[in-house]
Amino acid sequence: MIVRDLHTAKNTERRVDSEGWNSVRLLLAGDNMGFSFHITTIYAGGELQFHYKNHFESVYCISGEGSIEDLATGEVHEIRPGVMYALNEHDKHILRGKTEMVMACVFNPPVTGNEVHRADGSYASADEHQQAAAG
Amino acid sequence: MIVRDLHTAKNTERRVDSEGWNSVRLLLAGDNMGFSFHITTIYAGGELQFHYKNHFESVYCISGEGSIEDLATGEVHEIRPGVMYALNEHDKHILRGKTEMVMACVFNPPVTGNEVHRADGSYASADEHQQAAAG
């Protein structure tokens, strides 16, 4: 059994900081659960374009308010506590934080722990990541 | 993109009620994400023994307080907001709700939607489930 606490994990290398957001990765590929689990904070006023070409992701809003725009259809969905979205088609999207939003995120395949978003808004696949790490 | 809201989903067949808990299954096997995602409420005073022999599960505490006892080691871990536990060894455990606890749960393989806990505290595997459904 693995037990981890956000309040201590956020002061370790499990926390990744980036422009407009941070993410604390409570489960990673090395935990062998078949998915990774992150608590991600989107800052108020943040406007973030992501495109996970190599991952499925689900996001559940724990607190805060904002929206997600589906760039394939132009549709905008409101985000508030209790709303979940799932990128089952590797959907290219823009996330907007009206207030700070705290989200529970699941990635399949699991994130390895060292990914940062690339210019195209994606994470490398594990294979690409290994090549990059090796290169 | 799939978008679902706990506040409407809890009034549909996505909600499963059982002794001491209920669970709203926001993502199921049929969504083809490779995992399922549930918001589960453990009632105050609940004492629940589970043993997911066929699934990995991670559980993140959104609100409330309680504990989890690892029946293999006897160890008891406090649960409060921000604490996550992951049953990476199909750990047999007892969950105790000191107050009502709201938890974000991820299952791999994904739950199909019709499982109830069996006498041994497990869910059937998808194969067994299909056999049972067919039988």
Side-chain angles (χ1 to χ4, degrees):
Chain A
M1 186 182 304
I2 299 166
V3 180
R4 295 189 179 126
D5 188 338
L6 177 69
H7 301 289
T8 49
K10 72 181 179 186
N11 299 318
T12 70
E13 62 186 6
R14 290 187 176 280
R15 174 175 168 147
V16 177
D17 282 278
S18 189
E19 178 97 27
W21 60 276
N22 73 68
S23 186
V24 182
R25 294 164 174 175
L26 290 175
L27 285 175
L28 286 167
D31 294 312
N32 296 315
M33 295 287 287
F35 56 86
S36 61
F37 182 85
H38 318 178
I39 299 295
T40 299
T41 302
I42 308 291
Y43 304 143
E47 180 169 319
L48 306 164
Q49 183 168 324
F50 294 132
H51 187 197
Y52 298 112
K53 294 175 186 174
N54 302 307
H55 299 79
F56 293 118
E57 187 197 18
S58 75
V59 177
Y60 177 81
C61 179
I62 295 175
S63 65
E65 278 178 51
S67 65
I68 179 169
E69 179 176 348
D70 183 337
L71 289 174
T73 63
E75 229 176 328
V76 175
H77 304 276
E78 296 301 313
I79 298 174
R80 55 184 177 278
V83 169
M84 180 219 67
Y85 65 83
L87 306 170
N88 61 326
E89 295 177 315
H90 305 288
D91 314 70
K92 196 172 177 175
H93 62 286
I94 297 177
L95 204 53
R96 293 183 175 92
K98 188 172 160 188
T99 68
E100 181 175 286
M101 299 193 290
V102 177
M103 325 283 259
C105 307
V106 186
F107 279 85
N108 171 27
V111 166
T112 62
N114 298 306
E115 294 87 345
V116 289
H117 289 87
R118 298 184 291 191
D120 65 358
S122 74
Y123 284 146
S125 68
D127 286 351
E128 288 176 286
H129 184 65
Q130 280 168 354
Q131 285 163 11
Chain B
M1 188 182 302
I2 298 167
V3 181
R4 295 187 180 128
D5 188 338
L6 177 70
H7 302 288
T8 50
K10 72 182 179 187
N11 299 318
T12 70
E13 62 187 7
R14 290 188 176 279
R15 175 175 167 146
V16 177
D17 282 277
S18 189
E19 178 99 26
W21 60 276
N22 74 67
S23 186
V24 182
R25 294 163 173 176
L26 291 175
L27 285 175
L28 286 166
D31 294 312
N32 296 315
M33 294 287 287
F35 57 86
S36 61
F37 183 84
H38 318 177
I39 299 295
T40 298
T41 302
I42 308 291
Y43 304 143
E47 179 167 319
L48 306 165
Q49 183 167 325
F50 295 131
H51 188 197
Y52 298 113
K53 296 176 186 174
N54 303 306
H55 300 77
F56 293 118
E57 186 197 18
S58 76
V59 177
Y60 177 80
C61 179
I62 295 175
S63 66
E65 277 178 52
S67 65
I68 180 170
E69 179 177 348
D70 183 337
L71 288 174
T73 64
E75 230 178 326
V76 176
H77 304 276
E78 296 300 313
I79 298 174
R80 54 185 178 275
V83 169
M84 180 221 65
Y85 64 84
L87 306 170
N88 61 326
E89 295 177 315
H90 306 288
D91 314 70
K92 197 171 177 176
H93 63 284
I94 297 177
L95 204 53
R96 293 184 176 92
K98 188 172 161 188
T99 67
E100 181 175 287
M101 298 193 290
V102 178
M103 324 283 259
C105 308
V106 186
F107 279 85
N108 170 28
V111 166
T112 63
N114 299 305
E115 293 88 345
V116 287
H117 288 87
R118 299 184 291 191
D120 66 357
S122 74
Y123 284 148
S125 68
D127 286 351
E128 288 176 286
H129 183 66
Q130 280 167 355
Q131 285 161 11

